[in-house]
Amino acid sequence: MNYAELSEAEINRQFMPRLAVPDHEAWLAADAELSEAATRRLRCHLDIAYGETPLQKLDIFPAARAPAPVQVFFHGGYWRALDKSTYRFIALSLAPAGIATVLVNYDLCPAVTLDDIVGQTIASLAWVYRNGAAYGCDPQRLYVSGNSAGAHLAAMALAQDWSAQGLPVDLVKGACCITGIYDLAPVLRIDANAEIRLKPAMVARNSPLSLPLPAQPPVIVAVGADETPLWIKQSTDYAAMLRAQGVPTELMIIPGVHHFSITRSLADPAGVLPKAIRRQIGD
């Protein structure tokens, strides 16, 4: 799509979710409360370092039985905000179902670039593969997920050449990309780019929509039906690209949810997204 045809106001309306959902702070506050409850109710190991900087930390919520398949989740925030602690609630639906749950933090823009963030999250997955067994995680059953910017990072993990690091090319066994952005061209023109600092030269190498996949694990692409039309189009275009590459792809346009409410079902074992994740893992 030619995003140059959109006015400044329109491109911000389409690609700035906080403008599209005026009560987003209330949703985030409720998510944080649910996450606090998760740390009280579930066994967990918090703030384990996988890298050298203070934000390169991850949380692990083990499953009751080990070794267990592991779901690694990347949080959203347009690579410049939020924290894994807001999304610990996802373990409420996964850990009791026998799926170890890992939540990853990473350095944020503008302190670092998107290239740096992608590199850090790739490093976090390599850490889980090499070290997760000590926490009951089965490295042979490693899955990724994320919401918003975190869905982008999960998609970048699918495009990673793991063999270049001496790791299995199929290190990631499946993914659930929730309300993500996969073509970064519009980010160049939104107001948030004052902090993201995305440059034209960075767009192609960080846009999953245009990157080949070395392996073809199954992918869930989920987006809320109440999102803006061009945000939904990012998901439908990405799902079409995956299918064109032979990737088993489930596109979920979930009715009645927007950018900030779509992740809430991850706290509910009966929610549509936890059911899809459990179905993908097969446990």
Side-chain angles (χ1 to χ4, degrees), residues 167-231:
L167 295 169
V169 68
D170 64 344
L171 182 143
V172 176
K173 296 302 189 291
C176 182
C177 300
I178 305 164
T179 191
I181 184 164
Y182 310 104
D183 174 4
L184 301 194
V187 178
L188 292 169
R189 295 187 55 212
I190 62 173
D191 292 345
N193 199 39
E195 294 177 270
I196 300 168
R197 297 188 300 133
L198 187 70
K199 305 297 183 186
M202 299 165 65
V203 169
R205 64 178 174 262
N206 289 297
S207 288
L209 190 60
S210 59
L211 297 176
L213 275 66
Q216 286 78 39
V219 180
I220 299 161
V221 181
V223 66
D226 292 350
E227 300 261 22
T228 58
L230 292 186
W231 197 278

Side-chain angles (χ1 to χ4, degrees), residues 6-141:
L6 300 179
S7 68
E8 295 300 313
E10 182 62 12
I11 202 163
N12 276 286
R13 186 183 77 82
Q14 293 285 340
F15 291 102
M16 288 281 288
R18 294 189 180 216
L19 296 179
V21 184
D23 64 343
H24 61 270
E25 292 292 352
W27 284 96
L28 292 171
D31 287 346
E33 289 182 8
L34 274 174
S35 292
E36 288 181 12
T39 60
R40 293 193 300 267
R41 289 172 50 185
L42 302 173
R43 185 164 58 101
C44 55
H45 308 277
L46 305 181
D47 295 321
I48 302 167
Y50 69 86
E52 296 182 356
T53 63
L55 281 178
Q56 289 184 70
K57 302 283 178 63
L58 52 81
D59 300 336
I60 302 177
F61 289 78
R65 291 192 300 172
V70 55
Q71 183 79 209
V72 181
F73 182 88
F74 302 112
H75 71 80
Y78 246 146
W79 312 287
R80 78 198 199 287
L82 300 181
D83 187 273
K84 61 181 170 54
S85 62
T86 302
Y87 296 95
R88 288 170 176 157
F89 67 83
I90 73 170
L92 291 169
S93 67
L94 298 180
I99 302 169
T101 309
V102 176
L103 297 103
V104 176
N105 259 6
Y106 44 85
D107 289 327
L108 300 173
C109 301
V112 296
T113 68
L114 184 54
D115 288 330
D116 296 323
I117 291 171
V118 170
Q120 288 179 10
T121 52
I122 294 302
S124 76
L125 289 170
W127 187 97
V128 172
Y129 181 84
R130 292 175 172 133
N131 300 280
Y135 300 89
C137 302
D138 183 353
Q140 303 306 319
R141 293 185 290 171

